[in-house]
Amino acid sequence: MTSSKKYVYAFEEGDGKNKMLLGGKGANLCEMTQIGLNVPPGFTASTDACNAYLEKNQLPPGLMDEIRTHMAALEKKTGKGFGDAKNPLLISVRSGAAMSMPGMMDTILNLGLNEVSLKGLITQTGNERFAYDAYRRFIQLFGKIALNISDEHFDERMVAIKRKYGAPQDVDLNTEHLKELAGEFLAIVQRQTGQAFPQDPFVQLEIAVGAVFRSWMGKRAVDYRKQFRITKAQANGTAVSICTMVFGNMGNDSGTGVGFTRNPGTGENVIYGEYLVNAQGEDVVAGIRTPKAIAEMEQEMPEIHRQLIQLRSRLESHYHEVQDFEFTIEKGILYCLQTRNGKMNARAMVRTSVEMFHQGLITKERALLRTEPAVLEQLLVPQLAPNFHAKSLAQGLSASPGAASGKIVFDADTAETRGRAGEKIILVREETKPEDIHGFFQAQGILTSRGGKTSHAAVVARGMGKPCVSGCEQIVINDQLRSAKVGDTVLREGDVITIDGGTGHVYAGEIPTVEAEFSEEMNTLLGWADEVAALKVMANADSPVDALRAREFGAMGIGLCRTERMFNATDRLPIVQEMILAETLEERQAALDRLLPIQRADFKGIFKAMKGLPVTVRLLDPPMHEFLPTAAQLELEIAHLHQLRDTIKALEDLPETLKMLNPKLYQQYADGLTPLMGALGTFKKSHMEDEVIAKKEKILKKVRALAEVNPMLGHRGVRLGITYPEIYSMQIRAILEAAALCGKQGIEIYPEIMVPQVATVEELKRIHSYVQRIRQEVRATHGIDVQFKFGSMLEVVRACMRSGRMAEIAEFFSFGTNDLSQATFSFSREDAENKFLPFYNETGILEDNPFEVLDIKGVGQLMKMAVQNGRVTNPDLKVGICGEHGGHPGSIRFCHHIKLNYVSCSGPRVPIARLAAAQAKLLEDQYREPV
Amino acid sequence: MTSSKKYVYAFEEGDGKNKMLLGGKGANLCEMTQIGLNVPPGFTASTDACNAYLEKNQLPPGLMDEIRTHMAALEKKTGKGFGDAKNPLLISVRSGAAMSMPGMMDTILNLGLNEVSLKGLITQTGNERFAYDAYRRFIQLFGKIALNISDEHFDERMVAIKRKYGAPQDVDLNTEHLKELAGEFLAIVQRQTGQAFPQDPFVQLEIAVGAVFRSWMGKRAVDYRKQFRITKAQANGTAVSICTMVFGNMGNDSGTGVGFTRNPGTGENVIYGEYLVNAQGEDVVAGIRTPKAIAEMEQEMPEIHRQLIQLRSRLESHYHEVQDFEFTIEKGILYCLQTRNGKMNARAMVRTSVEMFHQGLITKERALLRTEPAVLEQLLVPQLAPNFHAKSLAQGLSASPGAASGKIVFDADTAETRGRAGEKIILVREETKPEDIHGFFQAQGILTSRGGKTSHAAVVARGMGKPCVSGCEQIVINDQLRSAKVGDTVLREGDVITIDGGTGHVYAGEIPTVEAEFSEEMNTLLGWADEVAALKVMANADSPVDALRAREFGAMGIGLCRTERMFNATDRLPIVQEMILAETLEERQAALDRLLPIQRADFKGIFKAMKGLPVTVRLLDPPMHEFLPTAAQLELEIAHLHQLRDTIKALEDLPETLKMLNPKLYQQYADGLTPLMGALGTFKKSHMEDEVIAKKEKILKKVRALAEVNPMLGHRGVRLGITYPEIYSMQIRAILEAAALCGKQGIEIYPEIMVPQVATVEELKRIHSYVQRIRQEVRATHGIDVQFKFGSMLEVVRACMRSGRMAEIAEFFSFGTNDLSQATFSFSREDAENKFLPFYNETGILEDNPFEVLDIKGVGQLMKMAVQNGRVTNPDLKVGICGEHGGHPGSIRFCHHIKLNYVSCSGPRVPIARLAAAQAKLLEDQYREPV
């Protein structure tokens, strides 16, 4: 029988874990009560009651009886009377489902007020104005929510009263005005419902409970659940919590405030928060009075302060997490109204994790799991200086992290010109398009007034690692005037602004930024992570400086050392170009002979920097034409040279021309012309020898011969190594000789040689034969048999398909997921991010940018297969990833799942990867692959 | 005991199938003998004997005894005596291993000749000169092979004798001269070996047998086996066949000849061949006398002719294959010396297959299997006119099939210039390099003097479908002189030559070519193929004309209709460009509205042409910029326009300039200048309105905006369809409306809509939603619910990985193996074929060009997986292939193996594919995937 069913639970008895039954709010109140916090007493009508109500559109039998029983208990506990004329009990009627749906359902405050209890409230507070204000608010809220009267009726009266008494703001209305208003509100209820405002508190309560239940099926709530895909299994209706009202405005022994159990900005282990004496929560929001720091309470209300300190301990020891709580002091009694896990910045998360572990509040495991690895990025990109004082002009979306300052520019062409000229530029546009790409290259950061986190600007900026704030709608851009307005502020081209891509804030002027910071606690936490993780975390680094920096970030080796970056250094590039332009093997070898000692020194430096740890050197990868100027550049230079030659020719002809056209004029100038002609000859000799043109034309010819339709899929990587064996041979020799020299100095080194772009087993075999030959030669010369590993990139789809055979030769694999993702999607990254990928992300065709977040369904499956087949051949095969995905937490989780040995990522992402690797291990049992 | 082992087998007893034991030669002689052909009697010493010899370096015990026994039997059979002075038995001692190794091992003829039997030979032949010639040849051959005397000793004497008697050629020596020579040869043997030339025929024989066995380990033979990777399991030593010599030069009742059981050029079912009366085989080779056609023999030697006809039947009914045989007539007796399967051209293969089946000689299965499908290509590309009479100048390698004529050009730049000017060009170079690529585009064909079938020239020409002869070493090119020499013939730039890429022949002058031909027998044979095959064969065709042609080739539908080819037609391109340049959706839609009726008409035409058969239409695939001129082109045009404008400006300023510099001159010309200025104004108005420049600059801007780094992986295919839904919508509407209109006319049609470049399930879903919407709209407008299939290309790797999910929406898949191979290898086809693929093929890193021959180990495995996963979702899923591999026999075999439903290829390759599909089915049990 329904009447036998229990619907109502006192806070003392409800199960604090049973959110499905009591809602999040109700469960929280129960839990707080039961751990001994002084929560304003109350009780909760369950979601079962809600569902019973919704089914029959009436409160289930017995519910009101239970509620009356609990109300009687409340009266007893508080010593107050519901509707009482002296010491009235007022209550709040609050909604609350198992999943948080902020603002989507209704809550009524101060229920129990009527003409009688109003007087009691005045007595209690000694504040008539407050009482009438509460009364008129209650009538409006109840009218709207419980009686379904439109707000506009009430608002109209409010406006009229203010006009009548010349009161600009609500707060300017005095007691009399509010009294009059309350009267008018009661009249509105009478008019709109045809009945008087219910004076019986229990009638009020019965209507209110039904109204809150109904709000579960209100349009807002239904839309919200649809939008966020909240299923019935996650939240099955709202509970109703009925809670005693407490007032912080009952005199100087009362007050209200919010607190954090620790400082959410720094993580420091001190109570943190603000309070106001003799005030209600809404006074804080209204901003009329400035709250004080909780620290000051120690002087002002020492006993309450002591209780708060106690409250803080109790919260943390129960919740094992930093808490963000609300409190009210009513006549010297501290009530805790609400608590939840505190939101903190990355620095605070790290510090509290370590300190809470040391206090025994949380386990190491919990310490590692409670921080989202990606938030560490905040600590690893340039940030606004921590103590800057500036008011944000506007806030958009945090589209790409990091902070940057620069002069505003409203179009890409200008950005390019001014950027090239060395100015720091922020490109500001309504939205960006593929045509704007050249502007991105020269800008410090990008700000758009339209577009989301997956808009063109956002995607491209993230791809380039530049800060971006997108969708900052407060900024109104006028392209014609080359200016923008934010409220009343006008920003003109050339004005300096600062953007913070981590928060979305935009500031006028330049704000100093600081580089990444690496705290003691971070080291401790990541040390724990390393103990737990199965995956090793390596860094991508191309120089001794990068290598040392990566080591500081905690890299356990170099997973990718790109030798071409060394080729591009200004002192080497001419030699590299000489090698490329060589027309014979001898010429090429001569250039390579000059590169050998340079590369050997590079490798020696890196090996030393990474002593004791593995260093994986990738042989030359990019196509040759990347080391030469572009055809367009050369054509322009040649055209200029030709023009210069023509001009000189015209000058040379000048005397003759003049003589012919105007002999008289010629006579006049003849003397002056001779030295001019002489100077011309000298200039020509020193500058214009046809050789220069010839040389440029030779380079141009080579550039054209090397030009490729799809350079991404062209003559590069191992294909170069095979067609020009002398290039790879030089690099291999440089590696092995550097290793031998380090060996002689007693430096412990673990070199690994990695071949890029491998597609066929035969390619790998050929390079392996070079390596074997050179190893013998180095042994003969240096007397040391260098120990090293030989392996292959898996960045070509075919290599993944052939991994079983590849593993016969390779001792390790490294997934190059940048290239592999391009090949798997047939998306050229540059083209995709610039042309269609933002659209794909915005319209949900792809959830993520596959060049940032590993595509597990496609690329991931290829990887999984490749690992499995490789390990069939060689169970000890070492497998890693060195694409950008190696630094992305979700991707790392998948890498752990398919049993990779390591991930390698850019130095600054190493800490993120270390934490993510630990979490992957801790959560491995819960991992499910997407389908 | 070794002595008990049998080493020697008479031709009457040896197992004709046991080539491992008797060698190919020995087994052939045994088989011919045993089927009743009149083979000169003899016997074979087995490979066992060879191995025993090689082991101990001496003839195994008992071998010579066996040989003596068989020689006695021979004497009995022939009535001749070994070493006899009247009727001597002469024999040949022939090598022969299980695998044919032409010319690699030794054979000795006329063994048994000595001072005594020489007289007998004179008696037998009545030809003293012949006998001495045979004797001196025997001494030299035996001396060289059996006694290891260098040829130069003999050659030196030959030269001296010719000089002595003023004989320019060997044939000018008379009996006396040859007698003298034989004497000198005997003296050489004495000098070089310290012993007399062995006169005892059995001593000759014993030495000869050992020498032939030894030749198995000779350098030439060992190198050959290494080169062609002939293993011990394939050939384990040489056998020695000892065969009675028969002579065709024993009078007018003797003769020699070669025959085919059918005409190898046409396949006609008549005996075919040539003979010479009273002659030996070498006389035919020497070319002194012109042989007669076998048909003439009917008059000249009717009985022998009758026997030959009989021989022909016997050969065919035994071998079930056209035979190429050698015969000799000795004194009215016909001997068959050798027979083997006849080599025929494609036409003959097809005709004989059909006719031999009808004669009951072979089964249908055999008829289908005996022709290599690829040879049908000969019948499907332009060929030299069949009756042309021209002597080949030189022969190189058949690098890319087809015939072409054109003017010789020695460098790519000239080829480009002259080709663009409309001349027909053959590019002739020592070898080609990537820099020559622009010359290929303008040439009719390519001829190189160096490089193999996988050289740059060969690979690129095949890729372009142009004829190519490579490695034609007889041609000596002199770049400086811009001429080439072939023997004494000089070819100059501009001279016309003809090349036949199917045979490798090069001819002077222009030889007419003929288009593909499709015989009745071809239709019959391919009809049988269709009955057998599991795979359907579709064609790639883009117009009604192509479609009809494909139907003639036997296509069972259109597997790929590329709509972009329609876009490129000259009447549509301007509209397409308008669409691309549109700046608003409205402008674009307006252009699309004009394209709609055109595309609809295209589809209607194709549907009609293919009535009753499926037509798969692929939606737009290439990136937009392919429909616009290139940036370089536009830049040049704009530069020219600016130049023109500057020139006009200078002309306009002319009067003022002149007036200033030379007022007198100005006065002289002033009258004339006025009309010039007037004309200039008119010209300017009609030609130089700035609009033209502005318009071109607008296009240039768009071209630059659309430019892509890797267009192969860029904004194309379904990515266009999603970012510009209106384009695909227009195409889908055109297809469905065309289908509806055909339906109204009662034309039976099976349209299929195919989406290119699909990488994600969501892409396919979106396009499917367009299709569903437009289907409804067409139903509403036309009252017909068009029935069609909806499917996806699988040409992106990720689509293969996701095929299980794709199959939830797609009713069919079509592998686009061109793009899929590019993505799987990360090879851009254009770049790879031009840069490194030829090198890869030549050095064996890749056996084949993966864009011609499907890469089964990589791409194939992806396909296999995709088919399996797709069929798990939908067991009835139709799957095909429409890349170029769809026309390659080996690839078709794999497609059958992985259970595709169809292959689609270019029209002219349809016949090849049909035959290959049948063979794939017939040989399916033998199929093994490479690993």
Side-chain angles (χ1 to χ4, degrees), chain B residues 276-296:
Chain B
L276 273 175
V277 170
N278 196 14
Q280 276 205 300
E282 56 202 68
D283 297 329
V284 183
V285 178
I288 307 164
R289 291 164 58 194
T290 306
K292 299 174 186 172
I294 283 182
E296 290 183 41

mmCIF file of all heavy atoms in Angstrom, chain B residues 276-296:
data_model
loop_
_atom_site.group_PDB
_atom_site.id
_atom_site.type_symbol
_atom_site.label_atom_id
_atom_site.label_comp_id
_atom_site.label_asym_id
_atom_site.label_seq_id
_atom_site.Cartn_x
_atom_site.Cartn_y
_atom_site.Cartn_z
ATOM 1 N N LEU B 276 64.279 -25.959 -95.639
ATOM 2 C CA LEU B 276 65.267 -25.850 -96.712
ATOM 3 C C LEU B 276 65.604 -27.267 -97.137
ATOM 4 O O LEU B 276 65.821 -28.144 -96.287
ATOM 5 C CB LEU B 276 66.541 -25.175 -96.198
ATOM 6 C CG LEU B 276 66.628 -23.653 -96.233
ATOM 7 C CD1 LEU B 276 67.919 -23.206 -95.553
ATOM 8 C CD2 LEU B 276 66.574 -23.122 -97.666
ATOM 9 N N VAL B 277 65.656 -27.484 -98.440
ATOM 10 C CA VAL B 277 66.047 -28.794 -98.938
ATOM 11 C C VAL B 277 67.566 -28.882 -98.913
ATOM 12 O O VAL B 277 68.258 -27.884 -99.129
ATOM 13 C CB VAL B 277 65.502 -28.992 -100.379
ATOM 14 C CG1 VAL B 277 66.107 -30.242 -101.017
ATOM 15 C CG2 VAL B 277 63.994 -29.089 -100.340
ATOM 16 N N ASN B 278 68.051 -30.096 -98.624
ATOM 17 C CA ASN B 278 69.499 -30.365 -98.621
ATOM 18 C C ASN B 278 70.252 -29.301 -97.828
ATOM 19 O O ASN B 278 71.145 -28.620 -98.327
ATOM 20 C CB ASN B 278 70.031 -30.432 -100.062
ATOM 21 C CG ASN B 278 71.423 -31.092 -100.093
ATOM 22 O OD1 ASN B 278 71.837 -31.714 -99.108
ATOM 23 N ND2 ASN B 278 72.146 -30.941 -101.206
ATOM 24 N N ALA B 279 69.902 -29.205 -96.602
ATOM 25 C CA ALA B 279 70.527 -28.159 -95.772
ATOM 26 C C ALA B 279 70.491 -28.586 -94.314
ATOM 27 O O ALA B 279 69.728 -29.467 -93.920
ATOM 28 C CB ALA B 279 69.778 -26.844 -95.924
ATOM 29 N N GLN B 280 71.378 -27.925 -93.542
ATOM 30 C CA GLN B 280 71.333 -28.153 -92.100
ATOM 31 C C GLN B 280 70.753 -26.922 -91.420
ATOM 32 O O GLN B 280 70.727 -25.830 -91.998
ATOM 33 C CB GLN B 280 72.754 -28.388 -91.606
ATOM 34 C CG GLN B 280 73.182 -29.845 -91.796
ATOM 35 C CD GLN B 280 74.255 -30.205 -90.800
ATOM 36 O OE1 GLN B 280 75.305 -29.594 -90.805
ATOM 37 N NE2 GLN B 280 73.976 -31.199 -89.972
ATOM 38 N N GLY B 281 70.357 -27.129 -90.171
ATOM 39 C CA GLY B 281 69.754 -26.027 -89.410
ATOM 40 C C GLY B 281 70.578 -24.756 -89.469
ATOM 41 O O GLY B 281 70.049 -23.662 -89.648
ATOM 42 N N GLU B 282 71.898 -24.888 -89.369
ATOM 43 C CA GLU B 282 72.726 -23.686 -89.338
ATOM 44 C C GLU B 282 72.665 -22.896 -90.630
ATOM 45 O O GLU B 282 72.947 -21.705 -90.655
ATOM 46 C CB GLU B 282 74.163 -24.046 -88.975
ATOM 47 C CG GLU B 282 74.774 -25.070 -89.896
ATOM 48 C CD GLU B 282 75.945 -25.796 -89.240
ATOM 49 O OE1 GLU B 282 75.670 -26.547 -88.281
ATOM 50 O OE2 GLU B 282 77.089 -25.613 -89.657
ATOM 51 N N ASP B 283 72.315 -23.562 -91.746
ATOM 52 C CA ASP B 283 72.178 -22.839 -93.018
ATOM 53 C C ASP B 283 71.032 -21.829 -92.941
ATOM 54 O O ASP B 283 71.087 -20.761 -93.543
ATOM 55 C CB ASP B 283 71.908 -23.820 -94.172
ATOM 56 C CG ASP B 283 73.090 -24.764 -94.365
ATOM 57 O OD1 ASP B 283 74.231 -24.338 -94.086
ATOM 58 O OD2 ASP B 283 72.854 -25.917 -94.767
ATOM 59 N N VAL B 284 69.978 -22.235 -92.199
ATOM 60 C CA VAL B 284 68.852 -21.305 -92.029
ATOM 61 C C VAL B 284 69.329 -20.082 -91.250
ATOM 62 O O VAL B 284 69.097 -18.937 -91.629
ATOM 63 C CB VAL B 284 67.679 -22.008 -91.296
ATOM 64 C CG1 VAL B 284 66.485 -21.068 -91.188
ATOM 65 C CG2 VAL B 284 67.298 -23.301 -91.999
ATOM 66 N N VAL B 285 70.065 -20.372 -90.170
ATOM 67 C CA VAL B 285 70.547 -19.284 -89.321
ATOM 68 C C VAL B 285 71.491 -18.366 -90.093
ATOM 69 O O VAL B 285 71.419 -17.147 -90.013
ATOM 70 C CB VAL B 285 71.266 -19.859 -88.072
ATOM 71 C CG1 VAL B 285 71.813 -18.729 -87.198
ATOM 72 C CG2 VAL B 285 70.318 -20.752 -87.285
ATOM 73 N N ALA B 286 72.400 -18.974 -90.915
ATOM 74 C CA ALA B 286 73.386 -18.172 -91.641
ATOM 75 C C ALA B 286 72.740 -17.244 -92.654
ATOM 76 O O ALA B 286 73.314 -16.227 -93.036
ATOM 77 C CB ALA B 286 74.374 -19.098 -92.356
ATOM 78 N N GLY B 287 71.519 -17.588 -93.069
ATOM 79 C CA GLY B 287 70.784 -16.672 -93.935
ATOM 80 C C GLY B 287 71.303 -16.653 -95.365
ATOM 81 O O GLY B 287 71.061 -15.706 -96.109
ATOM 82 N N ILE B 288 72.036 -17.686 -95.756
ATOM 83 C CA ILE B 288 72.580 -17.700 -97.113
ATOM 84 C C ILE B 288 71.472 -18.066 -98.103
ATOM 85 O O ILE B 288 71.361 -17.507 -99.178
ATOM 86 C CB ILE B 288 73.724 -18.727 -97.221
ATOM 87 C CG1 ILE B 288 74.733 -18.434 -96.113
ATOM 88 C CG2 ILE B 288 74.394 -18.668 -98.585
ATOM 89 C CD1 ILE B 288 75.694 -19.566 -95.863
ATOM 90 N N ARG B 289 70.654 -19.011 -97.690
ATOM 91 C CA ARG B 289 69.546 -19.407 -98.563
ATOM 92 C C ARG B 289 68.231 -19.022 -97.899
ATOM 93 O O ARG B 289 68.103 -19.051 -96.679
ATOM 94 C CB ARG B 289 69.588 -20.932 -98.790
ATOM 95 C CG ARG B 289 70.783 -21.357 -99.643
ATOM 96 C CD ARG B 289 71.028 -22.832 -99.540
ATOM 97 N NE ARG B 289 69.844 -23.588 -99.942
ATOM 98 C CZ ARG B 289 69.683 -24.897 -99.704
ATOM 99 N NH1 ARG B 289 70.626 -25.578 -99.065
ATOM 100 N NH2 ARG B 289 68.600 -25.515 -100.090
ATOM 101 N N THR B 290 67.284 -18.685 -98.724
ATOM 102 C CA THR B 290 65.992 -18.290 -98.175
ATOM 103 C C THR B 290 65.093 -19.511 -98.022
ATOM 104 O O THR B 290 64.845 -20.224 -98.995
ATOM 105 C CB THR B 290 65.314 -17.275 -99.097
ATOM 106 O OG1 THR B 290 66.212 -16.202 -99.318
ATOM 107 C CG2 THR B 290 64.032 -16.744 -98.482
ATOM 108 N N PRO B 291 64.629 -19.766 -96.834
ATOM 109 C CA PRO B 291 63.786 -20.952 -96.632
ATOM 110 C C PRO B 291 62.429 -20.783 -97.321
ATOM 111 O O PRO B 291 61.993 -19.669 -97.604
ATOM 112 C CB PRO B 291 63.610 -21.024 -95.127
ATOM 113 C CG PRO B 291 64.363 -19.900 -94.536
ATOM 114 C CD PRO B 291 64.777 -18.975 -95.612
ATOM 115 N N LYS B 292 61.784 -21.909 -97.566
ATOM 116 C CA LYS B 292 60.460 -21.891 -98.185
ATOM 117 C C LYS B 292 59.401 -22.153 -97.121
ATOM 118 O O LYS B 292 59.664 -22.810 -96.112
ATOM 119 C CB LYS B 292 60.373 -23.004 -99.228
ATOM 120 C CG LYS B 292 61.371 -22.860 -100.348
ATOM 121 C CD LYS B 292 61.305 -24.093 -101.235
ATOM 122 C CE LYS B 292 62.403 -24.049 -102.299
ATOM 123 N NZ LYS B 292 62.484 -25.314 -103.042
ATOM 124 N N ALA B 293 58.190 -21.702 -97.427
ATOM 125 C CA ALA B 293 57.081 -21.976 -96.517
ATOM 126 C C ALA B 293 56.716 -23.450 -96.596
ATOM 127 O O ALA B 293 56.813 -24.065 -97.668
ATOM 128 C CB ALA B 293 55.875 -21.127 -96.873
ATOM 129 N N ILE B 294 56.289 -23.996 -95.451
ATOM 130 C CA ILE B 294 55.963 -25.428 -95.428
ATOM 131 C C ILE B 294 54.890 -25.768 -96.455
ATOM 132 O O ILE B 294 54.882 -26.879 -97.026
ATOM 133 C CB ILE B 294 55.549 -25.856 -93.989
ATOM 134 C CG1 ILE B 294 56.828 -25.993 -93.134
ATOM 135 C CG2 ILE B 294 54.792 -27.172 -93.990
ATOM 136 C CD1 ILE B 294 56.598 -26.449 -91.721
ATOM 137 N N ALA B 295 53.980 -24.799 -96.708
ATOM 138 C CA ALA B 295 52.926 -25.041 -97.693
ATOM 139 C C ALA B 295 53.503 -25.515 -99.042
ATOM 140 O O ALA B 295 52.927 -26.387 -99.709
ATOM 141 C CB ALA B 295 52.098 -23.768 -97.890
ATOM 142 N N GLU B 296 54.676 -24.988 -99.404
ATOM 143 C CA GLU B 296 55.279 -25.352 -100.692
ATOM 144 C C GLU B 296 55.725 -26.810 -100.740
ATOM 145 O O GLU B 296 55.890 -27.399 -101.808
ATOM 146 C CB GLU B 296 56.487 -24.452 -100.995
ATOM 147 C CG GLU B 296 56.087 -23.025 -101.296
ATOM 148 C CD GLU B 296 57.298 -22.170 -101.665
ATOM 149 O OE1 GLU B 296 58.184 -22.659 -102.404
ATOM 150 O OE2 GLU B 296 57.344 -21.014 -101.202
#
